[in-house]
Amino acid sequence: MLQPASLDLLIALRELLGEAHVLTSGDLSAYEQDWRKRTRGQALAVVRPSSTQQVADVVKACAQANVSIVPQGGNTGLVVGGIPDNTGAQVLLSLQRMNTIRAIDADNLALTAEAGCVLQNVQQAAEQSGFLFPLSLGAEGSCTLGGNLATNAGGTQVVRYGNARELCLGLEVVTAQGDVMHSLSGLRKDNTGYDLRHLMIGSEGTLGIITAATMKLYPMPAARLTAWAAVPSVAHAVKLLGLAHQHLGAGVTGFEMMGQFALRLVDKHYPQLRVPLWQDTPYCVLLENSDSESEAHARQRFEHLLELALEDGCVSDAVVAENLSQARNLWHIRESITLAQAEEGLNIKHDISVPISSIPRFVEETDALLTREISGVRLVNFGHLGDGNLHYNVQAPEGCDTQAFLRDHEDRVNALVYQSVKRFKGSISAEHGVGSMKVDSLPHYKDPVALALMQRIKHALDPQGLLNPGRVVR
Ligand code: FAD
Ligand code: MLT
Ligand code: ZN
């Protein structure tokens, strides 16, 4: 039975948005269940505003009724941060109808888009105007620009272009009070006090609701070449990264590492992708070289790098994609690891970073700890080596009941991995965020003064605790 206050709020929301955009029945799993299907919540209502003003009106109505709000974009987040809790008392605010590209400003190399724009559509809009919007990740067909900014998403081009934060020039944000902060100017320099944009980016919907953003564009490279290399060890992969920086300079736009078991899963679940070189090597690397001159120039530099690496022994074999379709297939293999892992069953997911120089020792020591702890454990190690960021995932031994594995081992495995991250002065969340999955671990690994400041900022900006409560900080 709904309380009278909740019924009043539903009436108010229907008046604001229309009956069709306040959903309370039917199949709401697309909004209420997380992407990995680990958690299912229940919302009082799913609301779908179509303008910044409507978002502001919804926030005001919820504030008056003291009902909390969970903002959601594409619901591809991996830390259970964008779905409602199970109380049936929260409003799930989907930004998906706010999907207009508002402007492309060629002289300022900038694009302004609404928060609900799907990332791939933003990339395509930039490309149609002759520019590159470099943010790129496996979920780009359904994640949204607002979600990317709210999580400060990384992806596969960070090594050259930075993460979502570094690509953002300005934001439009609805505050917890329902006011609109208009900061979409797109200025490249503005030192008029605290940069609130950076406070909002990565705040996972806990400080404000992003409704639009101005993002950087780049000139389209003349050529982008992709290579796939077998490397004898993680240390050799790190050495190859150093060689790539030395010989390609700013041309290094992607540097991903994939362990043999991660590739075995892709081969098992998607054999049509024909994963190259994986059977005879513990790790493969995917490298991308972008060049502003020509394809011939790019190819010559790339082949020179690979020859040096083969001579040096840090690469044992390599293929360079001959054309765009081969390059796309290599990237598709890399981006299918998450899906292949999901096909294999639930696993314990990590998204850690340590200094690049420490990655070989981190992997060696953590692998040893886990294999000693759980006999037959399978390690799915892959990620953005160019950024020192690994998705160091832990899969149950073959044939083991995954639910039982998670129940019995998840806390211990997390503690072992996070302690190892701490020893190497790393971070327990490099790109996916904290959400509700890591909120209780954070106090053990975050500087206490930094955490206390985060709590005070949350309280100052959202004293009623209306925006995504229980996520990031408690
Ligand atoms: P959601 O999942 O809807 O929300 C994520 C968080 O942001 C929630 O806390 C939500 O409340 C908040 N939020 C969403 N929209 C807004 C808004 N407009 N205003 C305020 N808060 C908001 N992530 C990476 O960083 N790098 C990767 O390489 C990567 N690869 C992925 C591959 C796959 C196959 C999948 C499934 C996920 C991947 N992710 C990756 C994680 C995820 O896609 C990103 O975190 C993405 O940025 C989330 O966008 P979204 O629109 O789906 O956000
Ligand atoms: C990736 O890099 O593919 C993602 O961050 C998704 C994942 O960790 O599974
Ligand atoms: Zn990633």
Side-chain angles (χ1 to χ4, degrees):
M1 262 302 264
L2 286 180
Q3 300 293 318
S6 304
L7 284 171
D8 287 349
L9 176 63
L10 288 179
I11 293 166
L13 293 172
R14 288 193 175 109
E15 268 170 23
L16 289 170
L17 306 182
E19 193 85 19
H21 300 299
V22 180
L23 314 177
T24 53
S25 58
D27 180 8
L28 299 179
S29 54
Y31 303 99
E32 293 182 334
Q33 186 169 49
D34 76 307
W35 188 88
R36 294 178 68 209
K37 298 191 170 55
R38 283 206 61 168
T39 311
R40 171 89 198 235
Q42 197 199 341
L44 171 66
V46 172
V47 301
R48 294 164 41 87
S50 64
S51 67
T52 304
Q53 190 54 53
Q54 284 192 347
V55 174
D57 292 342
V58 167
V59 172
K60 282 193 173 134
C62 290
Q64 202 179 8
N66 208 21
V67 165
S68 60
I69 302 169
V70 181
Q72 188 184 85
N75 194 16
T76 67
L78 296 172
V79 288
V80 191
I83 58 163
D85 64 21
N86 60 10
T87 58
Q90 295 187 302
V91 165
L92 187 288
L93 190 152
S94 166
L95 278 299
Q96 278 176 336
R97 289 177 70 224
M98 291 195 61
N99 57 10
T100 304
I101 306 279
R102 291 190 186 164
I104 292 184
D105 179 349
D107 290 342
N108 198 32
L109 281 174
L111 168 152
T112 299
E114 290 183 345
C117 284
V118 168
L119 174 57
Q120 203 166 55
N121 296 343
V122 178
Q123 295 165 344
Q124 281 167 4
E127 199 175 328
Q128 279 157 14
S129 300
F131 295 106
L132 172 74
F133 179 60
L135 188 67
S136 177
L137 42 134
E140 64 198 20
S142 50
C143 65
T144 62
L145 185 60
N148 301 149
L149 287 160
T151 58
N152 186 26
T156 53
Q157 301 280 300
V158 176
V159 64
R160 164 71 177 88
Y161 299 103
N163 44 27
R165 180 187 303 287
E166 280 146 304
L167 294 170
C168 181
L169 293 169
L171 288 180
E172 178 186 89
V173 175
V174 172
T175 68
Q177 292 70 37
D179 299 323
V180 183
M181 180 180 93
H182 296 281
S183 300
L184 285 175
S185 70
L187 295 176
R188 301 213 169 221
K189 288 182 148 182
D190 177 5
N191 280 350
T192 51
Y194 308 139
D195 198 332
L196 300 172
R197 161 188 51 161
H198 287 307
L199 206 49
M200 294 295 163
I201 296 171
S203 67
E204 302 181 45
T206 62
L207 300 181
I209 302 179
I210 298 167
T211 48
T214 300
M215 306 297 292
K216 287 183 192 167
L217 297 176
Y218 285 84
M220 195 61 92
R224 285 166 97 172
L225 289 187
T226 305
W228 184 281
V231 294
S233 70
V234 181
H236 287 95
V238 170
K239 193 154 185 222
L240 176 62
L241 175 66
L243 279 180
H245 281 313
Q246 193 185 337
H247 291 275
L248 303 177
V252 183
T253 45
F255 197 101
E256 301 285 310
M257 184 181 76
M258 299 149 288
Q260 190 183 52
F261 182 62
L263 294 174
R264 182 188 296 278
L265 289 181
V266 177
D267 181 69
K268 176 176 168 187
H269 295 287
Y270 307 111
Q272 71 280 10
L273 293 181
R274 304 165 75 87
V275 183
L277 306 180
W278 69 275
Q279 271 150 318
D280 302 317
T281 185
Y283 288 93
C284 287
V285 164
L286 185 58
L287 289 98
E288 187 184 78
N289 172 27
S290 296
D291 195 292
S292 56
E293 250 177 64
S294 67
E295 173 154 350
H297 185 252
R299 204 166 279 281
Q300 183 225 328
R301 294 183 75 196
F302 217 19
E303 284 173 359
H304 177 61
L305 166 72
L306 291 170
E307 274 162 27
L308 288 175
L310 280 159
E311 267 168 34
D312 189 88
C314 57
V315 163
S316 54
D317 201 354
V319 287
V320 180
E322 288 295 325
N323 50 44
L324 208 59
S325 118
Q326 283 182 10
R328 282 208 184 107
N329 191 50
L330 293 176
W331 277 106
H332 193 38
I333 293 168
R334 155 65 183 90
E335 279 162 0
S336 299
I337 296 174
T338 308
L339 291 161
Q341 231 198 315
E343 291 286 335
E344 188 72 7
L346 281 174
N347 53 75
I348 305 171
K349 204 160 189 34
H350 297 116
D351 164 38
I352 63 96
S353 60
V354 295
I356 294 170
S357 53
S358 300
I359 287 213
R361 277 187 48 225
F362 168 83
V363 172
E364 193 187 332
E365 290 181 21
T366 319
D367 279 8
L369 282 172
L370 289 169
T371 44
R372 200 179 314 141
E373 182 86 6
I374 309 166
S375 151
V377 73
R378 298 178 297 168
L379 301 172
V380 188
N381 184 356
F382 69 100
H384 318 287
L385 188 75
D387 321 323
N389 170 198
L390 292 180
H391 300 306
Y392 186 87
N393 300 339
V394 180
Q395 193 105 27
E398 182 106 52
C400 179
D401 172 354
T402 51
Q403 291 292 356
F405 174 73
L406 291 177
R407 191 193 56 228
D408 297 343
H409 296 288
E410 186 160 21
D411 289 346
R412 175 79 181 134
V413 164
N414 284 342
L416 281 176
V417 173
Y418 293 165
Q419 286 297 336
S420 198
V421 167
K422 193 173 183 176
R423 273 198 307 285
F424 287 100
K425 302 193 176 1
S427 164
I428 64 166
S429 177
E431 57 174 18
H432 298 159
V434 176
S436 47
M437 287 198 80
K438 295 179 193 159
V439 69
D440 292 324
S441 300
L442 202 60
H444 303 291
Y445 302 99
K446 185 100 187 164
D447 173 73
V449 176
L451 191 64
L453 285 174
M454 278 167 56
Q455 279 158 343
R456 283 162 65 186
I457 289 168
K458 167 71 180 169
H459 189 69
L461 268 61
D462 180 17
Q464 257 181 287
L466 285 182
L467 294 179
N468 219 357
R471 270 78 195 247
V472 186
V473 282
R474 286 201 197 277

